[in-house]
Amino acid sequence: MRTHKITIPGLIMLFALVVLMESCSTVPLTGRSQMSLLPESNMVAMSLTSYDQFLDSNKVSTNQPQVEMVKRAGRNISAAVEKYLKENGYESYLQYFDWEFNLVESEVPNAWCMPGGKVVIYSGILPLTQSEAGLAVVMGHEIAHAVARHGNERMSHSMLVQMGGMALGEALKQKPNETQAIFSAAYGLGSQYGVMLPFSRQHEYEADKMGLIFMAMAGYNPQEAVAFWQRMSANSGQKPPEFLSTHPVDSKRIAALNEIMPEAMRLYEASK
């Protein structure tokens, strides 16, 4: 009778397969399966510390018309997000969101949303958004990254590779420095401006689609998305702005936006 020995690499692969099978979740709206090894509550807790540190070291804008526009667009889009999640079986996601919308003074054209719904818009991007609808493009896209838990997915992949899928709680106890380094790498928190590192092309397209749908549901014309990305591309010059460096713009991306535009326009018309 022939016996089969399981080698150490084989055990690691088997373990990884079990982890993957038990840690799959579904991205809202797109239905894509993703790996999420980490409790979202822990992701939110770690992000809050970094978020507070960022606000402590950066000047929050006092330009009231611009601040009010940022908060208004944020309220409208977050309301659309919450409506979608409640109506489509993702109500449990809402427990992790405590929305905040801040405008900081910086010439850098940038924006981001941390886990838990902490959104920061840089004043340097407003000349390119040009309007509240243009701002909704940026905000919808960044919020979509948080709703889709792209950061959790990216950090899960890193922890699986570097720590063999160790539970986050254990990793924080046994390897706190390494774990924090993985989180910082996932969100680019060590960079000068606190910007996230580039998401994968798959994540970018997914956030484009979700953001377009969310802004349309919130009553903003989704056609502004194409115009905004064209302006970003045209104004990039030889050295692309920080926001463009983490959000690649090309003809394929705009073509993808145009493909889902009819669906977004139907939602926009319905919102009126």
Side-chain angles (χ1 to χ4, degrees):
M1 182 176 179
R2 181 178 298 178
T3 59
H4 298 276
K5 292 182 179 180
I6 300 179
T7 63
I8 295 299
L11 284 172
I12 293 174
M13 291 182 64
L14 180 61
F15 171 75
L17 180 61
V18 171
V19 168
L20 287 171
M21 291 177 64
E22 293 183 351
S23 306
C24 284
S25 58
T26 303
V27 178
L29 200 149
T30 68
R32 179 179 65 85
S33 294
Q34 66 179 169
M35 180 177 66
S36 299
L37 296 175
L38 314 173
E40 191 67 11
S41 57
N42 290 112
M43 295 292 293
V44 171
M46 285 191 291
S47 71
L48 282 177
T49 300
S50 299
Y51 172 73
D52 290 339
Q53 291 174 348
F54 177 85
L55 290 183
D56 287 342
S57 59
N58 289 270
K59 186 177 180 180
V60 176
S61 176
T62 56
N63 185 317
Q64 282 307 115
Q66 292 182 348
V67 169
E68 290 172 5
M69 179 177 67
V70 166
K71 293 186 181 297
R72 183 170 56 250
R75 287 194 301 269
N76 291 340
I77 294 177
S78 62
V81 167
E82 291 185 3
K83 181 176 184 293
Y84 176 85
L85 294 177
K86 287 178 181 178
E87 293 178 351
N88 290 274
Y90 293 97
E91 191 166 5
S92 63
Y93 276 51
L94 297 178
Q95 65 181 302
Y96 301 111
F97 284 97
D98 182 16
W99 302 99
E100 287 185 22
F101 307 95
N102 281 288
L103 177 67
V104 297
E105 293 186 4
S106 172
E107 295 181 359
V108 179
N110 191 36
W112 43 261
C113 177
M114 296 291 282
K118 307 304 184 185
V119 179
V120 170
I121 303 294
Y122 293 54
S123 60
I125 205 169
L126 296 183
L128 293 170
T129 59
Q130 293 188 357
S131 65
E132 189 168 327
L135 175 62
V137 176
V138 173
M139 195 171 288
H141 177 95
E142 296 305 318
I143 287 176
H145 278 307
V147 173
R149 298 181 177 177
H150 287 158
N152 192 323
E153 185 176 1
R154 181 162 55 185
M155 189 171 176
S156 294
H157 281 285
S158 296
M159 289 194 68
L160 185 61
V161 171
Q162 298 181 39
M163 297 187 178
M166 181 184 295
L168 182 59
E170 286 302 309
L172 287 170
K173 291 178 183 178
Q174 298 182 27
K175 300 181 179 181
N177 293 335
E178 293 91 333
T179 305
Q180 186 61 47
I182 292 174
F183 179 82
S184 296
Y187 287 97
L189 298 178
S191 64
Q192 181 179 358
Y193 300 113
V195 301
M196 291 185 181
L197 295 180
F199 283 103
S200 69
R201 184 172 294 274
Q202 182 183 46
H203 286 174
E204 283 298 303
Y205 283 140
E206 196 164 56
D208 279 349
K209 177 176 181 178
M210 294 173 68
L212 200 69
I213 297 301
F214 291 150
M215 71 175 289
M217 291 176 63
Y220 296 104
N221 190 340
Q223 292 176 328
E224 180 59 30
V226 172
F228 166 76
W229 288 114
Q230 288 173 336
R231 286 196 299 273
M232 287 292 290
S233 181
N235 282 275
S236 63
Q238 293 184 347
K239 183 180 179 181
E242 194 74 28
F243 189 77
L244 262 186
S245 69
T246 57
H247 299 74
V249 176
D250 53 32
S251 59
K252 290 183 179 179
R253 180 175 206 157
I254 292 176
L257 285 170
N258 283 324
E259 284 183 8
I260 58 178
M261 193 62 66
E263 178 186 357
M265 287 302 296
R266 285 193 295 271
L267 292 169
Y268 171 58
E269 294 298 331
S271 73
K272 296 192 293 184

